[in-house]
Amino acid sequence: MITLKALYPQPTDVAKFDADYAEHIKLFHTKTGIPTNERPYTITKFMPSPDGSPAPFYQMFSMPFESIEAFQATMADAGFQEVAADAVRISSGGAPVMLAGDES
């Protein structure tokens, strides 16, 4: 299984990022054709470290794919590329870090 992870740096304005991210997820569902009542992904908001300092990342999006072929097809899709561009647009703390890996 291949997993895509998008790590969003701490935003300059948390409330604006959260509002923009809600719209981003709507765009994700529209462009991918995944019904809004389905969540084949998880979203993790990171907590401060034990000493109270903020985590290096604010939030992570994680989505599994059944195969490398499914992952590659999704990455090549024009709708998904629009979603990826929107992820960069809303990430006010710097570009999100995109990672993909084989989970075993």
Side-chain angles (χ1 to χ4, degrees), residues 42-80:
T42 59
I43 298 170
T44 303
K45 284 196 178 181
F46 295 108
M47 299 170 54
S49 69
D51 70 4
S53 60
F57 295 99
Y58 176 69
Q59 184 169 288
M60 179 176 66
F61 171 92
S62 182
M63 185 168 154
F65 294 85
E66 290 297 320
S67 66
I68 188 69
E69 294 81 14
F71 171 75
Q72 290 170 335
T74 299
M75 295 298 107
D77 179 76
F80 196 84

Side-chain angles (χ1 to χ4, degrees), residues 5 8 13 15 17 24 26 31 35 38-39 48 67-68 74 82 85-86 91-92 96 103:
K5 299 199 184 285
Y8 292 89
D13 181 335
F17 175 83
H24 174 72
K26 289 178 188 175
K31 295 296 179 177
E38 291 182 27
R39 286 190 60 174
S67 66
I68 188 69
T74 299
E82 187 176 337
D86 191 59
S91 189
S92 61
E103 292 201 8

Side-chain angles (χ1 to χ4, degrees), residues 3 8 10 18 27 35 47 72:
T3 301
Y8 292 89
Q10 291 290 336
D18 287 345
L27 177 69
M47 299 170 54
Q72 290 170 335

